[in-house]
Amino acid sequence: MDRLLYGVAYYDEYMPYERLQQDIEMMKAAGINVVRIAESTWSTYEPQKGVFNFSSVDRVLDAMHEAGIRVIVGTPTYAVPAWLVKEYPDVLAETPRGRGKYGPRQIMDITHPAYLYYGERIIRKLLERVKDHPAVIGYQTDNETKHYHTAGPNVQLQFVKYLREKFGSLDEINRRFGLDYWSNRVDSWEDFPSVIGTINGSLGAEFAKFQRKLVTDFLAWQVGIVNEYKRPDQFVTQNFDFEWRGYSYGVQPDVDHFEAARPFDVVAVDIYHPSQDQLTGAEISFCGDMARSMAGGGNYLVMETQAQGFPQWVPYPGQLRLQAFSHLASGAKMVSYWHWHSIHNSFETYWKGLLSHDFQPNRVYREAQTIGRDFERLSDRLADLKITNRVAMLVSNESLTALDWFPIPGGKIKYNDIVRRMYDALYKMNVGVDFIHPGSEDLERYKLIVVPALYAAPDELLHRLNAYAAGGGHVVYTFKSGFADECLKVRTSVQPGIIGEACGIGYSLFVEPNGVALKGEPFGVGRDGHGIESWMELIQPTTAEVLAYYDHPYWGGYAAITRNRYGEGVAYYIGCMAGEAVMAGLLEQAVKEAGLWGKDQELRFPLIVKSGVNRHGRVIRYVLNYSGEAATVDYPHADAVELLSGRTVRTGERVTAEPWGVLILEEQGKD
Amino acid sequence: MDRLLYGVAYYDEYMPYERLQQDIEMMKAAGINVVRIAESTWSTYEPQKGVFNFSSVDRVLDAMHEAGIRVIVGTPTYAVPAWLVKEYPDVLAETPRGRGKYGPRQIMDITHPAYLYYGERIIRKLLERVKDHPAVIGYQTDNETKHYHTAGPNVQLQFVKYLREKFGSLDEINRRFGLDYWSNRVDSWEDFPSVIGTINGSLGAEFAKFQRKLVTDFLAWQVGIVNEYKRPDQFVTQNFDFEWRGYSYGVQPDVDHFEAARPFDVVAVDIYHPSQDQLTGAEISFCGDMARSMAGGGNYLVMETQAQGFPQWVPYPGQLRLQAFSHLASGAKMVSYWHWHSIHNSFETYWKGLLSHDFQPNRVYREAQTIGRDFERLSDRLADLKITNRVAMLVSNESLTALDWFPIPGGKIKYNDIVRRMYDALYKMNVGVDFIHPGSEDLERYKLIVVPALYAAPDELLHRLNAYAAGGGHVVYTFKSGFADECLKVRTSVQPGIIGEACGIGYSLFVEPNGVALKGEPFGVGRDGHGIESWMELIQPTTAEVLAYYDHPYWGGYAAITRNRYGEGVAYYIGCMAGEAVMAGLLEQAVKEAGLWGKDQELRFPLIVKSGVNRHGRVIRYVLNYSGEAATVDYPHADAVELLSGRTVRTGERVTAEPWGVLILEEQGKD
Amino acid sequence: MDRLLYGVAYYDEYMPYERLQQDIEMMKAAGINVVRIAESTWSTYEPQKGVFNFSSVDRVLDAMHEAGIRVIVGTPTYAVPAWLVKEYPDVLAETPRGRGKYGPRQIMDITHPAYLYYGERIIRKLLERVKDHPAVIGYQTDNETKHYHTAGPNVQLQFVKYLREKFGSLDEINRRFGLDYWSNRVDSWEDFPSVIGTINGSLGAEFAKFQRKLVTDFLAWQVGIVNEYKRPDQFVTQNFDFEWRGYSYGVQPDVDHFEAARPFDVVAVDIYHPSQDQLTGAEISFCGDMARSMAGGGNYLVMETQAQGFPQWVPYPGQLRLQAFSHLASGAKMVSYWHWHSIHNSFETYWKGLLSHDFQPNRVYREAQTIGRDFERLSDRLADLKITNRVAMLVSNESLTALDWFPIPGGKIKYNDIVRRMYDALYKMNVGVDFIHPGSEDLERYKLIVVPALYAAPDELLHRLNAYAAGGGHVVYTFKSGFADECLKVRTSVQPGIIGEACGIGYSLFVEPNGVALKGEPFGVGRDGHGIESWMELIQPTTAEVLAYYDHPYWGGYAAITRNRYGEGVAYYIGCMAGEAVMAGLLEQAVKEAGLWGKDQELRFPLIVKSGVNRHGRVIRYVLNYSGEAATVDYPHADAVELLSGRTVRTGERVTAEPWGVLILEEQGKD
């Protein structure tokens, strides 16, 4: 792992005919230096209970090793064999929609002892087989693990025990969850109903948290097994994924990423995103920032990303390169495609790989060859990029779940939409972001913390945020923040509760906007950008300055956006779902006020600039042109070498980024 | 009950901290003189089977009594405790979608003996506890009771016995329901299939009627129990609700309101409605007219209506007052908000009360204070309003169900849409309406009966309507009326069957309009208003005069709307779903022809005028301005005192109703 | 069957009162000379197990015979009695959505022995009763038979045995279906999971094929029984239907029509279609061509078509006639309405018959009278029309199913949409079409074969199509053709695989068009017609000529539509979902190139011309005006007699077709 990795997922098991040597030759021609194998094909390795056949693993390891290609071995537990389900049908998770049916992956009860018993056995058998192989550099446990909504009677039983452990008594639960409502009290543990039907958001959200804990526990259990086998030079990782909206969109609802990532040596993620005319790089940046943050600021692996992907994703010329370097620019040390070849049968036949079903070199493959060459050539300058940000975004699984239980009217705006509204605005003004979570310490590392819809949060966190502001920090909150405690109980104080102090505001009423805009044209957004959506809080400032009022015949006296000096710091509050332009204008003001506005921020999307420091202590600056038009920049930093071309670029010199093009500038100086 | 009641639903059980005295002080400051308690919280009163705890009831009763606030006690049976369901899982209704899951309210089989046994016990325990308390003025049985689609095997068994009792033989059922169709005959009682899967509308509609009877029986059973306890000065009521489309919209499909209301001393309803720019008062009037009609013309209670309600309902300044007096104008003697405080947990957290979660006086609460003061001050003039209407609308649960089974093409227009198309037109021209039903006698009390889509009706009723017309009554029918008998068997005569005689028309064909309008511009509606929707009957007049033809290249020779003199009366027939303007024009003609057009009808929405006679024999006339613009009226009636201001208003004097404002004029004269 | 039949479905069992003689008189007045009876009413004939009552059959047969009306008797097995389901609940099919519920027709497991046992008994009892009756001319087995998605454990068991029989070994199945994917391998027959949950398209499609075989087997079993009874002068038929989209739309997904039709003496179909302004005749032609092709080119019965049908179908004046003669023009020898009278109860109350519920002569009935008279008068000239086409369309159930498993992005375009896009273009240019299927021999009978989306096909078929082209045939393929084998395994060669040779093209990449059009305006379609939808293959010609390129900044170098000379023939390939105008332009070119363009093709929709040869060896030419405007034609063929008017028409003479009118021209000459 001393160098940049460029990889693919490789499935010898799915090949329609013998191709191994041919494939390896094509890989080498494309600079592929790592493959991931084995994570999907339990039934091939154990075709009958206790009958093992690792021949496809053996031969791939040997051949890869011979070719100098490294291998990451996945444990094959995320898709269960037919024989296991036939013998133990309740291995399939019972969810709110009933018991699953055999066929798809990721349908099992991850707490079921038959699954765990046979899962452990196949893991151990596989690891015994591969652990000493020189090709193996690491392991992936399972794949895109989630809880699959397992909620059957056995899971309910575990949940009740979890509740007792956590809350101590039914009285406490009844009180904190408000179970008197609609006669939902439970006054004897035996009476605890399955929460599948519950209408109590506090209970439902606690169950979701419990389900996320099942994922954390399951992964830690697998890591424990792998750790018994792995060599010191090997790592163990997991391929985390994100909220899926046809592509990687936002915070993963079903996993507590920060908790689940702890036991791993390295964080890996998969990142899929719109392409062609819809390619913006925002998902590459968002997911990369999340992975890097999960890794405590370290580098991460992009275990899966698209090569051709879906018909609507086949990259335009230049895009595959742009994507690959964008991953590096966010701190990735591996970029690996899912997958090498397009599969000829079953569910993902149209989720295409680097090669089409015909295995012929194609336009996309040929572009990959250039990437492989450049990764190889520039590995020493680009690997181990150290990225340090002064802006953080505080995200919260609890708030995400809470807003699923208490949705914003209209159903259009969910938690991750608010996250992305803020994130994308920062991304487009080239402000680098770390993610933090309710348990994060050291808030003071950041000059500015942006906080989307922190709906459900303990008092402690909110007091800590107030203290952060008082101590000189800058905070930007959106609507819905501070509203409820960690049990989703709405605070009994004037809203937004505790943070109202730092924000210098209060409100008792909130309404749904219907064609409402902000008065005037705040932040110079013009007539097109000042409309608001879905939610408006009728804010009354106490000490805050009003940055925008609502334009409404009856609610025009209430504030929409406020700013408040608090101690040494500043707290902003956005009381409505503002449009992109308003969000951008406000965040620009906040970034400037926090003293974080520099020359790169003067550039804007589609020109994305990202920077860090390489292993040689030099600043590496990526200029990424997310556009089909060439773009010119008057380079504002210290003299640098543009690494792809090898050309020196002087301060103030005009440089051109080609359509969908990349420049990589290494500042010169001490080495 | 000698005075106007102004109330809230109050839940001590849901309070996040001790508030009782504070709440009572705030209630008194707002003129709240009645609270409803206890209808939702069985599990609080009986936390374990046979363990009772009425402490929250006791303390609320005592404190309210001390403060002079009256209490209505609800029986807590509409939400079942967890322990009951754990012990008897089949207490949860089995519906066409399967057995319910524990969590929501209103999910039980209201015929299940375990539910009835424990339900009766908690009712008796509660009533024993409260019946002698001086604060208690009455009882509410259950809440918004319906049948919850209970349709499990036990219910099917009861239904078969009901069928045998009603129809006598399977031959009769096979014949009347047409069960030969698609081999659906039943020739042995044991073979009777569950009707959950039936495609026979006659059978399905009979089952729906049976289910409505379950509601009637259940409520009568509760009333019987309550009557054993209630004092002579106490009443028993039920909180009926309406077809729900996000608000109270129309005739309740799942309850036969007229039948179910019989055993109660007083009728109560809940009324929720759009607000802000969508506030029209139409639902307040519709539901109020229905409640008054269910009460045989007497006054009724608005047991629940919104204070803040949903974010989209938070009233504009003046609207809460306008709403409160509108209820009185339709004959209410109580206006009670759901609910006092906004609940901090669970399902209805965002269904807000008079207070927000912060319990602070807010803009809405302060407006309520003015209402409370005015109710108190004017109670003697406004209570016991006697309203007498000469127009009735005949509504039919059977026809509603029938049109669910045999829907109007396109799916947009359902029974209640036709009801509301007619009702709203009358409302907007200030024509007061009573509701009558297929069993109503004394049709002759009315000069005009409007009949929306009376699809399923026995011969007897139709002959009675013909006789009413022949005797001088005026009738307006819409399309689909008279089409089928009470078993939904289509009549074998030329349509519209029996009423075709009074209407002087016949038709054999009907088609779906596609961009069709009425020829010419009938009733002066102009080019925008003459389009029709969803349904058109190709009517051929026999003796009728044609008021409108279809504008169509092939169907242009058929009549769309007709008028026929029949004996001493007149019958109109509308063969298509006409637009609002056409409906208004036609009804205006019918009202005028019936001699019911007066000065108040010259005013139009948004100026609503409603009147009645108070306990002093004087005419009370409400002028309600459903608009954000002030409106002036040249007062056309006898000299009056405007009660809110105390100002005298002379005949012909110009008076002004403020935006969303109210005038209450009491005609002077004998006292 | 020596003469044209004009019929109705007649249900004495559904009559609300005694009508038989009255109905027969009205039928005779309308020229009705055949009725179909008995196919829906098992429970009437066997009201209890083993109790039979055929009195309604007896009396109808006697009365019809006396009136000279022929009778087709249906076996009543497509709707099961309540007693059967009560005794054997699992007679109801278990489908992917669970066990069915009693009520609808067509809900049984057609493999269940209880159903088969009692089904056979009622068939035999009925046939014994009617077989010697002189009124009976034939039998219909069951009705619109399909597999009803039966997929319960017993069906799964049969399927596993079918797989073993067909593929021999699990290894073969694992390999051909690609079951290694996601751990789906099966390595022991006992482990075979229910395929209800499968995500493997190969397995799923094989199951669909197996389900279609169940239909074939079931119908053959019924024919076997009927054949034991039928007289030499009697026939046995089945009423096949089509993919249903609110009307008969395309290839039936759930039945292999060509296989299932084999055992029958004559093919019957039902054809329902939009009417009024949406009447185009396309469905009459499409379904008729399919029925004639299923019958090996012979004549067929339209067992059901609409008289009034739905409100949106009530025909305009002239349309019922136009429809009736259009059926004859495609080769029908019977036109029969569903149904005589409109039913007064249950599910199809609003699917109206020739008569309305009032049984009165109405406008539609009166138009039927003219049809009946003309059928009677012209039977000798119009019966036994022999139609010979030189263009065939190759349709494939396997490809239809495959595109359900691997849908075209966007979900708008399904297999039958591509079929209809091609078919309708040919229909509108008056090119007669036969349907062929993957098993069809004698491709050389045709000059031109059009091939929509032949996604799943064995090598053998594709080689045969190449040979057809090489031998001088003309072929037009659309996108997706040739892509996968008969197990839906994608070919490993450059696409479109085998047919790429005849087409002279190859492609590796495909994308989704987003606002993409064809470059230039190919086929003179203008700016409105050159857009494409849903799918585009990036085609590189090897030997082909490019007829159209994509208009796209990045994909503009790839071909969209190509033409290739191959041996003696020509192969076209359309790489995208082209619009109607482009499809029409391309097909016009292909038809012309195949030498099939004549005078009738110069006419266009709404003027439809169809022709054949009658029993006297003379050309019969129907001119059908699918428009509300009269149309004139300069008659271009040999002198003829217009049969409806009896007028002679000379070559070149101008003739007029009335709005929605028909001309029937019999060329004069030898008799």
Side-chain angles (χ1 to χ4, degrees), chain C residues 271-345:
Chain C
I271 304 177
Y272 295 100
H273 53 79
S275 184
Q276 298 177 357
D277 295 330
Q278 276 71 49
L279 180 66
T280 65
E283 291 77 20
I284 293 173
S285 179
F286 178 91
C287 300
D289 286 346
M290 183 68 81
R292 196 186 59 249
S293 301
M294 290 159 67
N299 301 116
Y300 59 91
L301 314 179
V302 178
M303 187 62 84
E304 296 184 9
T305 190
Q306 69 222 46
Q308 293 186 50
F310 296 130
Q312 70 272 28
W313 286 354
V314 177
Y316 289 161
Q319 292 189 331
L320 196 74
R321 276 179 70 77
L322 177 60
Q323 295 163 197
F325 287 106
S326 295
H327 289 297
L328 300 189
S330 285
K333 58 185 169 189
M334 173 169 101
V335 176
S336 179
Y337 298 116
W338 200 85
H339 40 352
W340 173 245
H341 86 291
S342 302
I343 303 174
H344 298 76
N345 285 97

Side-chain angles (χ1 to χ4, degrees), chain B residues 96 175-188 190-202 403 405-407 409 455 480 483 487-495 507-512 514 535 538 552-555 558, chain C residues 13-14 16-17 40-44 47-48 76 78-83 86-87 101-105 276-278 308 310-312 314-317 338 343-350 352 356-364 627-628 659-660:
Chain B
R175 191 180 64 75
R176 299 208 59 188
F177 293 3
L179 292 177
D180 285 280
Y181 174 86
W182 281 2
S183 196
N184 274 189
R185 282 185 68 88
V186 181
D187 281 282
S188 182
E190 298 83 356
D191 292 340
F192 222 105
S194 164
V195 301
I196 282 182
T198 193
I199 46 74
N200 184 293
S202 300
L403 288 183
W405 274 95
F406 298 105
Y455 184 85
K480 291 277 189 186
F483 200 77
C487 287
L488 280 58
K489 185 180 279 287
V490 175
R491 292 177 196 287
T492 58
S493 56
V494 170
Q495 292 293 353
Y507 70 90
S508 288
L509 302 177
F510 40 76
V511 297
E512 194 177 344
N514 185 4
W535 191 254
L538 302 184
H552 189 278
Y554 300 104
W555 318 129
Y558 294 103
Chain C
E13 299 83 1
Y14 298 165
Y17 59 90
S40 304
T41 43
W42 183 349
S43 72
T44 310
Q48 286 289 282
Y78 94 130
V80 287
W83 58 258
K86 199 67 163 194
E87 194 164 337
K101 294 190 193 306
Y102 186 75
R105 60 183 178 180
Q276 298 177 357
D277 295 330
Q278 276 71 49
Q308 293 186 50
F310 296 130
Q312 70 272 28
V314 177
Y316 289 161
W338 200 85
I343 303 174
H344 298 76
N345 285 97
S346 206
F347 202 68
E348 294 182 316
T349 296
Y350 282 86
K352 294 186 70 196
S356 289
H357 300 98
D358 60 10
F359 300 100
Q360 297 303 304
N362 60 50
R363 216 193 43 60
V364 181
S627 152
W660 310 111

Side-chain angles (χ1 to χ4, degrees), chain B residues 196-217:
Chain B
I196 282 182
T198 193
I199 46 74
N200 184 293
S202 300
L203 185 56
E206 191 68 43
F207 187 66
K209 182 181 288 192
F210 167 74
Q211 287 177 310
R212 289 192 292 268
K213 183 174 176 300
L214 296 182
V215 178
T216 300
D217 292 350

Side-chain angles (χ1 to χ4, degrees), chain A residues 8-13 20 27 34-41 45 54 56-62 64 69-76 126 130 135-136 138-140 142 303 336:
Chain A
V8 293
Y10 186 73
Y11 302 105
D12 187 62
E13 300 82 1
L20 186 53
M27 283 181 195
V34 63
V35 297
R36 183 192 58 169
I37 66 167
E39 89 289 352
S40 303
T41 42
Y45 306 144
F54 293 109
S56 68
V57 174
D58 294 342
R59 69 192 223 100
V60 169
L61 287 181
D62 292 347
M64 292 295 168
I69 298 175
R70 298 158 169 93
V71 180
I72 299 169
V73 176
T75 66
L126 175 64
V130 303
V136 177
Y139 304 97
Q140 176 188 306
D142 206 71
M303 186 62 83
S336 180

Side-chain angles (χ1 to χ4, degrees), chain A residues 14 40 43-44 48 79 83 86 101-103 105 308 311-312 316 344-346 348 350 352 356 358 660, chain C residues 177 180-185 190-192 197 202 406 455 480 483 489-490 492-493 508-511 554:
Chain A
Y14 298 165
S40 303
S43 73
T44 309
Q48 285 288 282
W83 59 258
K86 198 67 164 195
K101 294 189 192 306
Y102 186 75
R105 61 185 177 179
Q308 292 186 52
Q312 70 273 28
Y316 290 160
H344 298 75
N345 284 98
S346 205
E348 293 182 316
Y350 282 86
K352 293 186 70 197
S356 289
D358 60 11
W660 309 112
Chain C
F177 292 4
D180 285 280
Y181 175 86
W182 281 3
S183 197
N184 273 189
R185 281 185 69 87
E190 297 83 357
D191 291 340
F192 222 104
S202 300
F406 297 106
Y455 184 85
K480 290 278 189 185
F483 200 77
K489 186 179 278 285
V490 176
T492 58
S493 57
S508 288
L509 302 177
F510 39 76
V511 298
Y554 301 104

Side-chain angles (χ1 to χ4, degrees), chain B residues 6-25:
Chain B
Y6 192 49
V8 293
Y10 186 73
Y11 302 105
D12 187 62
E13 299 83 1
Y14 299 164
M15 284 299 158
Y17 59 89
E18 173 57 46
R19 292 212 27 106
L20 186 53
Q21 283 311 323
Q22 256 177 294
D23 283 331
I24 286 176
E25 273 162 46

Side-chain angles (χ1 to χ4, degrees), chain A residues 191, chain B residues 42 46-49 77 79-92 102 108 112-119:
Chain A
D191 291 340
Chain B
W42 183 349
E46 190 177 4
Q48 286 288 284
K49 187 169 72 169
T77 48
V80 287
W83 58 259
L84 177 59
V85 174
K86 198 68 163 195
E87 195 164 336
Y88 305 101
D90 55 357
V91 157
L92 299 183
Y102 186 73
M108 54 280 178
H112 192 284
Y115 171 65
L116 295 174
Y117 176 80
Y118 290 106

Side-chain angles (χ1 to χ4, degrees), chain B residues 103-389:
Chain B
R105 61 184 178 181
Q106 299 177 305
I107 52 171
M108 54 280 178
D109 174 9
I110 58 171
T111 76
H112 192 284
Y115 171 65
L116 295 174
Y117 176 80
Y118 290 106
E120 176 165 350
R121 191 166 77 176
I122 188 66
I123 294 169
R124 289 189 183 277
K125 289 283 180 187
L126 175 63
L127 291 172
E128 276 161 20
R129 188 77 169 212
V130 304
K131 69 186 166 65
D132 298 321
H133 200 289
V136 178
I137 60 168
Y139 304 96
Q140 176 189 307
T141 58
D142 205 70
N143 189 52
E144 301 169 353
T145 311
K146 287 174 285 288
H147 54 68
Y148 318 132
H149 305 285
T150 189
N154 58 323
V155 176
Q156 299 294 335
L157 187 70
Q158 297 171 62
F159 177 55
V160 171
K161 292 175 182 175
Y162 158 94
L163 286 175
R164 185 159 50 215
E165 175 73 21
K166 178 166 179 179
F167 292 97
S169 74
L170 283 167
D171 276 353
E172 182 71 4
I173 294 169
N174 283 322
R175 191 180 64 75
R176 299 208 59 188
F177 293 3
L179 292 177
D180 285 280
Y181 174 86
W182 281 2
S183 196
N184 274 189
R185 282 185 68 88
V186 181
D187 281 282
S188 182
W189 290 106
E190 298 83 356
D191 292 340
F192 222 105
S194 164
V195 301
I196 282 182
T198 193
I199 46 74
N200 184 293
S202 300
L203 185 56
E206 191 68 43
F207 187 66
K209 182 181 288 192
F210 167 74
Q211 287 177 310
R212 289 192 292 268
K213 183 174 176 300
L214 296 182
V215 178
T216 300
D217 292 350
F218 175 81
L219 287 174
W221 168 81
Q222 281 224 7
V223 172
I225 298 170
V226 172
N227 282 345
E228 294 181 36
Y229 297 87
K230 82 170 189 228
R231 301 194 304 260
D233 63 317
Q234 293 173 332
F235 62 83
V236 57
T237 190
Q238 150 69 351
N239 181 28
F240 290 102
D241 62 356
F242 296 90
E243 198 210 34
W244 186 253
R245 295 194 182 178
Y247 58 93
S248 309
Y249 185 78
V251 174
Q252 169 59 257
D254 294 342
V255 182
D256 182 336
H257 270 168
F258 292 96
E259 269 309 307
R262 284 187 202 279
F264 292 98
D265 299 318
V266 58
V267 168
V269 291
D270 63 27
I271 304 177
Y272 295 100
H273 53 80
S275 184
Q276 298 177 355
D277 295 331
Q278 277 70 49
L279 180 67
T280 66
E283 291 78 20
I284 293 173
S285 179
F286 178 91
C287 301
D289 286 346
M290 183 69 80
R292 197 187 59 248
S293 301
M294 288 159 68
N299 301 115
Y300 60 92
L301 314 179
V302 178
M303 187 62 83
E304 297 184 8
T305 190
Q306 69 220 49
Q308 293 186 51
F310 297 130
Q312 71 272 28
W313 286 354
V314 177
Y316 290 160
Q319 291 189 332
L320 196 75
R321 278 180 67 77
L322 175 61
Q323 294 162 198
F325 287 106
S326 294
H327 288 298
L328 300 190
S330 285
K333 59 186 167 188
M334 173 169 102
V335 176
S336 180
Y337 299 116
W338 200 86
H339 40 348
W340 173 243
H341 85 290
S342 301
I343 303 174
H344 298 74
N345 285 98
S346 206
F347 202 69
E348 293 182 317
T349 296
Y350 283 86
W351 196 319
K352 293 186 71 197
L354 192 54
L355 301 186
S356 290
H357 300 98
D358 60 11
F359 300 100
Q360 298 303 304
N362 60 49
R363 214 193 45 59
V364 181
Y365 170 80
R366 283 190 291 270
E367 190 163 314
Q369 290 179 310
T370 74
I371 300 166
R373 267 198 302 275
D374 286 332
F375 270 34
E376 174 74 21
R377 182 165 62 89
L378 300 175
S379 184
D380 180 54
R381 315 312 296 178
L382 302 182
D384 302 346
L385 193 71
K386 176 74 189 157
I387 294 174
T388 308
N389 289 318

